[in-house]
Each structure stands twice: as C-alpha cells, then as structure tokens.
C-alpha cells in the first residue's frame, strides 16, 4: 500500500460522473422582494415600486378593488366588457389612435378579471415607461367607451363562449363551477358572464359601470423593473387627478351545492375530460400551508400519487392534477385530467381510492419532497418583474400582505407528514365529490355506474 | 425622427467546446439564486424516417424513463424534490431538455442530463416504451384530436410541403406510426442523434463560467462521441404553385380560414422582413387584419404569424375566423386582398416602427427569465451556429426597412402562392 498523500481540495468531489446523484446544497436564504418605495396618493391610490436589476421590461398592474359582487345579477359580464373596451380609444387618443400610440412605444396592455377584483396590466421596455404610463392612466380614467366598440365586444364575448362550448376541457371547467356552488353564488358562473347576461349589456351600462366602479379607492398600482429613477412622480402625474369612488360590498363566500355526477355528452369524442372536486378553503385558513403540501404530494408533483399511477404506471392520461382554487373567501379543490373513453370508469375509481389517505397517510419522504418543491419554486416565480407584480397582485386580491410569500415559505417549511395528512383529510373529502365528465355519454354512462359514480344529471 | 431607445447591455456569453464535441454556453446572472440547464439536441420531427412520424417526440418521453443510474420516472421527481422544474419539448428542428433549479442543485441537473446522454439504453424496457406510447397517444387526443381546429398545423404542413418532405408532417405524428415504434427504433434513434457533438448545453444563472465549465467537463467530458449518420438537408423550395386547397367539415364553432406560404429559412435576412410583414398584417389591435376584419365585424379574430424553420424553408400563416352570418369566402378574400396590398404598396414607416417596438418588448421579456434566456442561447447556437447572435437580435430587426418588407412580401406572400385551409361548421 502506498502512503497516502494529502488530497487536493478539488478531489473531495468526484472527478467524473458518479454512480449516485450528487448531493444538493440547501437553497440560500431568500426573501420576497421588498418595495423600493411606496406611497399613497391623495385620492387613496396605493403605489408599490420594486426596483429589480436586470429586468429590462417594466411590469405594472393596477389592482382594482372591484369584486364581481359590484355587477348587477342580470348584467354579469359587465366588468369584463368594460375592461375590454378601455383600450379601444380614449379622450386624448380616440379610436385606433390609442392602440397605435401604445404599440408604437412597445407597450402592451392586458386585463384580468377575477372574482375578488380586477387587474389592468402594462408591460413596456424600461426605456419607454415615461411614454407608456400616461397611456395606462388614460385608458383607465378617460376611455371613450364608444357604442360600436361596446357592441362589438359583447358580440365577441358571445363568440368566445361558443368557442369555449366547443372545447371539452373548458366545458368541463364551466360545468364544474355550476355543480360545485349554489346558483346564488357568483362563483357558480363564469367571471366573464354567461350568454344571457352578456347579451343584455349595452353601452349605457358600460359607461355607468365605469363611472361608478373604476376608481382609486382601495386600488394599488404595483410596478417592477430595472428603472434608475423612482417612477412615483410619473405615477403621481398620471393618476393624482383620478377622482375617488365610493367603496362597495365585498363578494360573499360561495355556498357549496350538494354532491352530483354530471355527464355532458360530446358524441364521438375520443377522450373524456374528467373533474372530481369539492369545496375547499382559502389562503387565510391556518391549515393552508399544510393543505398545500398535502395536495402537492397527492396530485401536484410529477410523481404524486395520482400522476404516478394514472400516467406513469397505467398510461391512461397525459397528466392528472389535484389543484386548489382559493378565492378571497372560500375555495375548492379539483382533480382534473383527460382520459381515453374506455378507461374513464377505472380511472375515476382509482383516483378516488388514491385521494383517500385513510389507509396510507402521507410519508415523511413524500412530505419533504412536496415542501422542497413548494419552497424551491417560489423564488423562481418571483424572479422577473412580471412574476413579482403578479404575486403581489394575487396577494392583494386575496386580502393578504404584499410580501405574504415570506410567511407562506416559513410556514410551509414547518409542515410534517402528520400536519399535511390532517389538513388534507379535513378538506379533501373524496367520499362524496362533485363529478363532471364531458365525453361520449353513450359509452361513458354504464362505465360510470359500474365504477361507483352513478350519473345524477345529463346535459 | 427621435433616436431609437437604448438597447440593454449585451448578455455575458462564454463558449467552450468539449473534446467530445459538446458545445457549452455559459451566461452568468447572479440576480436570483437559481440556475437553468438547457440542452438542445439537433434532432426534431424533420429527422424522422418514413413511417415513423411522431418518433422524435415519443423518444423525448422515453428520455424521462430512467438511465444507467436513474430509476424509471425519477428524473422530474428528483428535480422537483429539490425545488426545481424540469421538462422537454420537441419541434420540427430540435428537441430541448431543461431544468431550472435552486443553485445548490446545479450538479444534480447536470448529472441527470449526462446520465441519460451516456446511458439511456441501459434502462430502456419494452414496458417503459409501451407506457409512454400510451401517454403520448393521450397527449395527441388531448391536444389535437379532441380540440376544435386541433388539426390546423397538420393540414397546413400537408398543404405547404410534399408528403415526403422533412416538414411534411407534424411532431405529434400519427397513431399508426406511434403504434409501430419498436425498441430497436429507440436504440437506433438514440445512437444516431443523441451524441455530445449533436448537442448544445446552455447554463444560465447564479454560477460563474469557471465553475460551470468544471462541472460540465466532469459530467459530460467522459462521454464518447460517435459519427452521426447523414441527415436530410433539404434544398430551399420555391413558393408554392397550384393553389392547393383543403376544405374540412368539422364540429367547429365558427368557419375559419388559414392561408399558408412557404417562406425562406429563418437564417435568411428576407425571413426577418417577412416576419415584420406578418406583424404589420396581424400583430396587435392596430394591425391591418384587425382593422379590416375584426373592427368591421367580418371576423371574430384575424392574425398572421411566421413559423421559423432552418431546413430550407419556413412557413407563414394568415388566418381569420368568420363572425356568425359572414360567409367564410368573404373572410378569405379580404385576407388575400390585404396580403396583396402589402406586397404592392408596402407598409408605412409607422407600421414598421410599431411592429419592431412590439418585437423588442417580447424579445426582452423572453430574455428576462433565465429559463427562456438559456433556450434562446441554445437556439442561436444550434440553428445559427452562434449563441452571441442573441445580443444582435434587436439591431437586426431594427434594420428592416419598409421597402424590404414590401419586396419580400411581393416575392413570397403572393396570393397565387398560398395553400388554403377552410374549416366549415358541420350542418
């Protein structure tokens, strides 16, 4: 045996590809970005600015306190139509001049209408923020809302619903809301309105809704990007004159409907879209971090219990997921997947049995993997300007602090297998779920019956 | 005219070729404690043998079924279990594989990629192939067969190229060909295309060039290269002739028309001019097609886009969906009239400026994330042979003039050289 020589430091690591996976160093301490500056304008508009080095496209989102409870019941879709007409011309840039101007400065506007509020978004290269930000303010404060534009957007929304009805997955999602919640719950109908109410929307109502509901009260403008100058002065110039509006009612918590099995017929479909769901909870619930870990292990990761068996072992689906949909108040859980017609009964039965943790609680290894997955991907999701403003907006719309990610991260790290199993079992009840199946009903109905899901409604 | 806004500073780009031919591109960015590993293999559906359509993509799925030291289905689980994401996609020209991970898992990501490039066949079984064949067939049903207009791309390429042309079929392939794929096909495909010298590896994020190079040398350096068999290198085809037409009756919510053209390959200057031409027609609310078809209530939607390809030709597509009660012929003739007018008169300076400004934003957005930045670097290295072209892109597109757009549109986007696909609602 030759005497041991001192080993160079580098050889503490293998010199070539090893037979076992390299160890993973723990992630460095990470915090959600803090605002570089924050202000409240005289009219009540809050402004949060995040300077993010290297982010050459500024992302801005105006988060409006405009839950869908502000729409009249017989005119649902009004918030969406109003938002869609904002960029069809302003007092300062009528008609197509607005889109021309916006596009010429390299900017894009978008809207997002959710149950708890609305976002009007702007993306623009940081070199052109001074030109683009006033356009965002113009569109929100002084849109023309021309009759022809409103009427066209009503017709396009109705056409969009026809497109959705021709799409199996979207049809399943639409029916799922209807089956999950009572008709009194706004969550039971599409955020953008159903055909009967959309068809009633006229330019007069759009003008009134804009004047009464779109304002700075309770609103926050969130901006992020690599801009040397603090943009608060620009924001104040563009938005300070915006008249405050009266505050309105919050959206009531949705009421769960009784369990059901709905079969929607698409004759000749080569696949069926399946949803298996139930009422859940929201991000204010103290069980939320543990629930998130539990659902990730059961149906959120690639080798979750559901995807491992139904995709990687059986080959029955391209992918199956268990997702949580938190509202500001209340929420739901749902398993979603598409399966070829002949395996739908077996897939549903197997999914229900996998969802039931009674015999097999979550293991320490499953829980740890889920915790790592959730905590590791958070920094990635907040790595861009767009990612930061999206997350802040999502937190604000849920009534949570802008930097809620930090608390969530800390809480998720503490979750062990017992807590994850307990929270999951309390919320996800696979015994009496709401089921929606969209596919070839003739072939599916007997299979569902046989699998223990007798159809209660047909469409 | 005001001076063009400043372009962001160039990305740091370092290149290194391993002895076995693997090309490495490193671009450090320490803003976030994460790193992306992105591998482009120069193999896509255009390299598939007759009767084996869909194979490159099926193969991509098999790449997640384990390798010498990685158990079946564990690749993504290992990455997710340390807080990362992993996936892959297949396209006409290439297959890409990528992991984005917290920086402490960089070695794991490289190890996983090296293990399957070195030893995929060690773990290959009939059971794993059969399982992924079924998964891919479900993917085809979910994304193409059970979706209205899900057949558009397949029908467009069939109109635009001869059946035996490398671009004459799509990446998802046919059910019959997927059924026919055998273990021997997998082995042969792996040996022919999955070579160190047929790959570009980009590492972008919170790591220095020296450290990244050291780790890549350690993981990939021992792999031996092989000689790649000849692959198809199709000569550029001239514009289409004969006005091929495909009319489909289907369960679609609206009548729709798609017009397709052969364009030059994406590395030709004329391709950029045509990309701008299609932007003038279809990009945004101020675009010509939106004004002429959507605002006038002829169409629910109207658009234009290029599908850039490297093998001789690219594809240009102009499309519209008719509003209820509007004959689809009227949508078709209006689309064609707008295309013809662009070739005859050219765009205005303002129109070109808008398209270029919109391009700049979307380009900068694609560079704002380390995962898509790595993908752009791998793409430029694979298709254009130079990752640093990423730093030239804005300047290249800004250089396009209205006259170039007009001339390229006149030459390539003639109404007499398109294929026409019409979807009509079943009665």
């Amino acid at each position: 045996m030759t005497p041991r020589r001192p080993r160079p430091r580098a050889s503490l690591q293998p010199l070539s590809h090893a037979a076992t996976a390299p160890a993973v160093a723990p992630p460095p301490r990470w915090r959600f970005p803090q605002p570089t500056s924050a202000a409240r304008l005289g009219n009540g508009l809050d402004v949060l600015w995040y300077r993010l080095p290297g982010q050459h496209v500024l992302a801005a989102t105006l988060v409006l306190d405009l839950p869908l409870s502000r729409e009249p019941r017989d005119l649902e879709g009004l918030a969406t139509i109003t938002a869609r007409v904002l960029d069809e011309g302003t007092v300062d840039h009528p008609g197509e001049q607005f889109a021309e101007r916006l596009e010429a400065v390299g900017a894009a506007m978008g809207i997002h209408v959710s149950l708890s509020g609305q976002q009007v978004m702007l993306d623009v290269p940081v070199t052109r923020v001074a030109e683009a930000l006033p356009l965002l303010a113009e569109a929100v404060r002084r849109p023309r809302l021309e009759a022809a534009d409103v009427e066209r957007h009503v017709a396009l929304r109705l056409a969009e619903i026809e497109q959705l009805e021709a799409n199996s997955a979207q049809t399943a999602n639409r029916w799922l809301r209807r089956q999950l919640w009572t008709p009194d719950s706004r969550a039971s109908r599409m955020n953008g309105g159903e055909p009967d109410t959309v068809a009633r929307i006229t330019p007069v109502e759009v003008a009134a809704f804009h004047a009464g509901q779109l304002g700075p009260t309770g609103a926050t403008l969130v901006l992020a990007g690599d801009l040397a100058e603090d943009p608060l002065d620009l924001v104040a110039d563009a938005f300070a004159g915006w008249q405050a509006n009266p505050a309105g009612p919050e959206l009531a918590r949705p009421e769960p409907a009784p369990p059901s099995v709905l079969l929607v017929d698409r004759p000749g479909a080569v696949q069926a879209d399946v949803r298996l769901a139930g009422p859940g909870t929201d991000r204010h619930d103290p069980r939320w971090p543990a629930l998130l870990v539990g659902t990730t292990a059961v149906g959120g990761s690639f080798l979750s219990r559901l995807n491992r068996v139904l995709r990687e072992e059986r080959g029955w689906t391209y992918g199956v997921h268990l997702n949580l949909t938190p509202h500001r108040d209340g929420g739901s859980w749902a398993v979603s997947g598409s399966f070829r017609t002949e395996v739908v009964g077996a897939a549903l039965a197997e999914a229900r049995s996998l969802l039931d943790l009674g015999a097999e609680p979550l293991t320490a290894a499953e829980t740890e993997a889920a915790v790592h997955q959730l905590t590791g991907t958070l920094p990635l999701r907040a790595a861009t300007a767009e990612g930061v403003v999206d997350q802040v907006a999502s937190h604000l719309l849920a009534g949570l602090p802008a930097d809620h990610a930090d608390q969530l991260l800390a809480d998720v790290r503490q979750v062990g297998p017992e807590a994850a199993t307990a929270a999951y079992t309390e919320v996800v009840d696979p015994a009496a779920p709401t089921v929606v199946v969209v596919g070839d009903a003739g072939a599916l109905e007997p299979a569902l019956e046989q699998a223990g899901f007798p159809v209660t409604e047909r469409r | 005219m005001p001076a063009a806004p400043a372009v962001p500073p160039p990305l740091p780009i370092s290149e290194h070729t391993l002895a076995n031919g693997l090309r490495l591109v490193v671009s450090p960015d320490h803003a976030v404690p994460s790193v992306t590993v992105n591998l482009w293999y120069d193999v896509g559906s255009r390299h598939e043998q007759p009767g084996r359509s869909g194979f490159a993509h099926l193969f991509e799925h098999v790449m997640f079924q384990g390798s010498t030291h990685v158990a079946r289905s564990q690749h993504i689980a290992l990455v997710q279990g340390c807080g990362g994401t992993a996936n892959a996609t297949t396209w006409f020209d290439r297959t890409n594989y990528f992991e984005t991970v917290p920086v402490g898992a960089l070695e794991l990501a490289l190890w996983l990629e090296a293990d399957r490039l070195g030893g995929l066949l060690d773990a290959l079984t009939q059971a794993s192939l059969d399982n992924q064949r079924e998964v891919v067939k479900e993917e085809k049903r979910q994304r193409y067969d059970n979706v209205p207009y899900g057949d558009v791309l397949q029908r467009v390429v069939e109109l635009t190229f001869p059946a035996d042309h490398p671009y004459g079929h799509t990446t998802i392939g046919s059910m019959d060909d997927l059924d026919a794929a055998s273990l021997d096909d997998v082995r042969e495909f792996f040996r022919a295309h999955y070579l160190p010298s047929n790959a570009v590896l980009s590492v972008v994020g919170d790591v220095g060039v020296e450290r990244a190079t050291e780790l890549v040398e350690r993981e990939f350096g021992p792999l031996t290269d092989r000689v790649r068999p000849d692959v198809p290198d199709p000569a550029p085809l001239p514009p289409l002739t004969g006005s091929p037409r495909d009319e489909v009756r289907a369960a679609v919510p609206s009548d729709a028309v798609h017009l397709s053209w052969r364009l030059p390959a994406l590395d030709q200057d004329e391709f950029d001019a045509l990309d701008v031409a299609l932007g003038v027609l279809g990009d945004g609310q101020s675009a010509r097609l939106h004004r002429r078809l959507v605002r006038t209530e002829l169409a629910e939607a109207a658009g234009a886009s290029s599908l850039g390809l490297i093998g001789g030709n690219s594809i240009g597509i102009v499309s519209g969906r008719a509003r209820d009660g509007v004959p689809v012929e009227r949508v078709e003739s209006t689309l064609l009239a707008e295309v013809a007018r662009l070739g005859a008169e050219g765009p205005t300076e303002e129109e070109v400026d808008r398209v270029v400004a919109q391009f700049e934003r979307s380009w900068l957005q694609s560079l704002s994330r380390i995962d898509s930045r790595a993908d752009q670097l791998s793409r430029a290295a694979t298709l254009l042979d130079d990752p640093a072209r990423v730093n030239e892109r804005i300047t290249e597109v800004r250089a396009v003039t209205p006259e170039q757009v007009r001339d390229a549109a006149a030459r390539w986007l003639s109404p007499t050289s398109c294929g026409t696909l019409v979807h009509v609602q079943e009665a």
Side-chain angles (χ1 to χ4, degrees):
Chain A
M1 204 172 143
T2 52
R4 258 183 89 175
R5 291 195 312 190
R7 302 187 335 161
R9 210 174 138 258
S11 68
L12 289 170
Q13 295 176 346
L15 290 168
S16 73
H17 183 72
T20 52
V24 173
R29 200 92 196 128
W30 177 86
R31 287 198 63 194
F32 193 81
Q34 291 295 305
T36 311
S37 57
R40 175 168 290 181
L41 305 187
N43 57 13
L45 178 69
D46 281 321
V47 186
L48 294 174
W49 158 239
Y50 297 82
R51 180 163 183 222
L52 300 178
Q55 291 293 305
H56 301 296
V57 178
L58 177 121
T61 185
L62 179 63
V63 184
L64 296 168
D65 175 30
L66 191 48
L68 293 182
S69 43
R70 315 275 167 86
E71 292 179 326
R73 170 66 186 92
D74 61 342
L75 291 172
E76 284 177 0
L78 186 53
T80 295
I81 298 295
T82 305
R84 288 182 180 182
V85 188
L86 293 178
D87 66 352
E88 293 283 5
T90 65
V91 171
D92 301 316
H93 293 94
E96 292 163 4
Q97 285 179 36
F98 184 81
E100 287 179 1
R101 179 76 192 130
L102 190 77
E103 290 170 22
V105 303
M109 266 181 65
I111 55 148
H112 181 67
V113 175
S114 72
L115 286 171
S116 53
Q118 196 173 104
Q119 294 177 67
V120 186
M121 299 167 289
L122 176 80
D123 291 313
V124 63
V126 290
T127 48
R128 312 202 75 169
V129 171
E131 297 162 282
L133 209 50
L135 295 171
L136 174 67
E138 259 184 64
V140 174
R141 294 178 54 190
R142 292 186 298 277
R144 293 273 291 226
L145 308 174
E146 300 273 7
D149 293 322
V150 172
E151 284 156 9
R152 186 176 69 256
H153 275 282
V154 167
L156 291 177
R157 169 65 188 151
L158 294 173
E160 180 180 72
I161 296 170
E162 284 177 18
Q163 294 286 329
L164 177 154
E165 285 168 341
N167 182 294
S168 175
Q170 293 180 353
T171 298
N173 293 339
R174 181 188 182 189
W175 282 109
L176 178 60
R177 317 171 61 136
R178 185 112 46 125
Q179 299 300 108
L180 260 179
W181 309 113
T182 62
D184 286 342
S185 307
R186 181 63 182 87
S188 71
R189 293 176 299 278
M190 291 188 283
N191 294 356
E194 301 282 338
D196 58 332
T197 58
V198 170
R200 284 194 205 108
I201 295 169
T202 67
V204 174
E205 275 109 17
V206 168
F209 189 78
H210 175 265
Q213 301 292 344
L214 260 77
T217 305
T220 307
L221 179 61
V222 188
L223 311 98
D226 191 356
L227 204 58
E229 305 271 317
D230 192 316
L232 289 190
D233 285 348
L234 279 177
V235 170
D237 284 348
F239 287 95
W242 196 11
Q243 291 278 308
N245 54 316
E250 288 306 323
L251 190 65
R253 187 183 175 94
E255 285 296 323
S260 59
V261 179
L262 170 67
L263 179 57
V264 182
D265 193 16
R266 270 169 57 95
V270 295
Q271 216 176 25
D273 268 279
V274 174
R275 305 287 182 268
L276 190 149
T281 185
D282 58 64
R283 290 179 275 180
H284 299 271
D285 191 318
R287 297 169 300 180
W288 183 259
L291 180 64
L292 209 49
V293 172
T295 51
T296 300
V298 175
S301 61
F302 182 74
L303 277 195
S304 69
R305 293 188 178 190
L306 285 170
N307 204 53
R308 176 172 54 78
V309 174
L310 299 180
R311 174 184 151 126
E312 291 295 289
E313 290 176 14
R314 307 269 189 269
W316 286 346
T317 181
Y318 180 44
V320 57
H321 308 277
L322 167 59
N323 285 116
L324 297 171
T325 302
H327 302 311
R328 190 174 177 123
D329 189 4
S332 58
W333 58 270
V335 174
S336 308
S338 312
F339 303 86
R340 56 184 178 274
T341 305
E342 56 270 30
V343 303
V344 167
L348 262 171
E350 185 112 47
R352 173 145 73 181
S353 128
L354 291 165
L355 287 172
D356 182 358
L357 304 189
E360 270 187 85
L362 294 171
T363 65
E366 286 178 301
T367 310
E368 191 186 35
V371 167
H372 286 166
Q373 182 175 341
L374 290 164
T375 54
T377 44
L378 262 173
L380 280 177
R381 286 166 51 201
T384 62
E386 203 182 348
V388 168
V389 299
D390 280 356
Q391 286 217 46
V392 171
S394 161
H395 297 150
L396 296 177
L397 287 170
L400 294 162
D403 62 356
H404 172 70
D406 286 339
Q407 187 61 51
L408 182 66
L409 203 59
D411 292 343
V412 165
R413 283 203 182 99
Q414 302 304 316
V415 175
E418 293 80 18
T421 304
Y424 173 95
T425 311
E426 282 172 36
V427 174
V428 178
D429 176 13
T434 297
V435 176
V436 175
V437 179
V438 180
D440 195 332
L444 289 165
E445 182 151 3
L448 291 174
E449 172 90 43
Q450 207 183 349
F453 296 88
V455 174
T456 60
E457 285 179 69
R458 291 158 198 84
R459 297 277 175 178
Chain B
M1 202 189 130
V7 176
L11 300 173
I13 296 172
S14 145
E15 294 177 70
H16 170 71
T17 302
L18 275 62
N20 57 23
L22 177 74
R23 286 184 288 164
L24 170 65
V25 180
V26 184
S27 182
D29 176 351
H30 304 291
V32 180
S34 311
V35 64
T36 283
V37 168
N38 176 295
L39 261 165
W40 269 47
Y41 290 97
D42 187 0
V43 59
S45 59
R46 79 181 176 102
H47 301 96
E48 289 163 350
Q49 300 292 321
R52 290 293 179 272
S53 69
F55 193 81
H57 171 245
L58 174 60
F59 185 91
E60 172 220 310
H61 277 247
V62 172
M63 284 280 276
F64 290 91
Q65 291 296 302
S67 49
T68 313
H69 305 109
V70 179
R72 188 170 161 219
S73 309
Q74 283 295 322
H75 182 110
I76 295 179
L78 284 166
V79 174
Q80 286 184 336
C82 65
T85 59
N87 212 335
T89 71
T90 308
W91 196 228
F92 294 94
D93 285 330
R94 55 89 184 130
T95 312
N96 63 359
Y97 299 83
F98 38 91
E99 295 80 26
T100 301
V101 293
V103 64
L106 170 61
E107 290 181 60
L108 172 70
L110 292 169
W111 181 85
L112 285 166
E113 289 295 359
D115 206 70
R116 60 185 175 185
L117 175 55
L120 180 81
L121 299 185
D122 290 349
L124 179 68
T125 65
Q126 188 69 47
S128 62
L129 173 62
D130 290 345
N131 167 256
Q132 289 305 303
R133 187 200 323 270
E134 292 308 316
V135 169
V136 167
K137 286 160 75 175
E138 291 303 317
E139 178 179 359
K140 176 168 155 60
R141 293 183 183 106
Q142 183 174 342
R143 296 176 64 178
Y144 303 93
D145 300 346
N146 202 32
V147 178
Y149 317 105
D151 57 351
V152 162
L153 187 59
Q154 182 200 328
R155 291 178 183 276
V156 160
V157 300
E158 287 171 0
L159 279 171
T160 312
F161 295 103
D164 59 355
H165 188 277
Y167 294 140
H169 67 276
T170 54
T171 51
I172 194 68
S174 76
M175 289 292 191
D176 285 346
D177 287 358
L178 290 169
D179 280 332
S182 70
L183 277 181
D184 280 341
D185 292 327
V186 176
R187 293 189 191 105
E188 190 188 329
F189 198 82
F190 179 77
R191 291 186 188 121
H193 303 293
Y194 281 76
L195 319 172
S197 60
N198 198 38
V200 169
L201 169 59
S202 294
V203 178
V204 176
D206 193 8
V207 61
V209 173
E210 210 172 302
R211 172 82 178 138
T213 307
E214 178 194 327
L215 291 174
V216 168
E217 281 284 2
R218 179 181 95 197
E219 293 298 336
F220 290 85
L223 301 178
T224 48
D225 199 34
R226 296 180 295 277
V227 177
R228 191 186 194 194
D230 283 343
V231 294
D233 184 18
L237 297 176
L240 267 174
T241 55
S243 301
R245 203 174 171 88
D246 182 6
E247 293 203 9
V248 196
R249 287 198 173 272
V252 291
S254 318
D255 295 351
V257 57
H258 290 80
L259 307 171
S260 75
W261 283 265
R262 286 180 195 156
L263 305 185
L266 61 81
D267 60 348
Q268 304 296 305
D269 288 345
E270 251 186 333
F271 177 80
D272 287 345
L274 288 160
D275 199 31
V276 172
L278 292 163
V280 168
L281 289 169
D283 186 7
Q285 281 175 218
S286 75
R288 291 184 176 193
L289 300 181
H290 186 87
R291 290 176 194 231
R292 267 299 295 281
L293 286 114
V294 180
R295 285 189 74 92
T296 58
E297 320 220 333
L298 293 179
E300 293 170 16
S305 57
S306 67
L307 199 164
L309 300 168
I310 196 67
N313 290 92
S314 300
I315 305 173
I317 299 173
V318 168
S319 63
R321 274 203 323 264
R323 284 272 294 262
D324 280 350
V326 176
V328 71
E329 300 78 34
R330 202 163 156 218
V331 173
E332 182 183 340
S333 61
T334 310
L335 291 173
L336 282 169
E338 283 302 322
V339 172
R341 186 164 74 89
L342 185 65
E345 300 168 9
T348 65
E349 190 98 30
E350 291 73 25
E351 285 178 306
V352 172
D353 286 349
R354 287 201 295 270
V355 171
V356 172
Q358 292 295 308
F359 162 79
E360 287 187 28
R361 187 197 64 256
S362 61
W363 174 255
L364 292 173
Q365 276 177 320
S366 83
L367 298 183
S368 72
R369 306 163 49 114
I370 57 172
D371 52 358
S372 51
R373 192 186 311 156
D375 204 53
Q376 293 288 2
L377 290 167
S378 294
R379 174 183 181 274
T382 306
L383 301 182
L384 306 173
D385 213 24
D386 182 5
R389 286 285 292 275
V390 167
N391 282 331
E392 307 301 321
R393 192 65 192 135
I394 288 178
T395 310
E396 288 170 1
V397 176
R398 280 184 183 176
V400 174
T401 67
E403 294 71 33
Q404 288 169 344
V405 172
R406 180 196 61 208
D407 294 349
R411 185 171 312 130
W412 289 95
L413 295 174
S414 157
T416 59
S417 63
C418 73
T420 305
L421 167 62
V422 181
H423 281 83
V424 185
Q425 279 184 285
E426 270 173 354

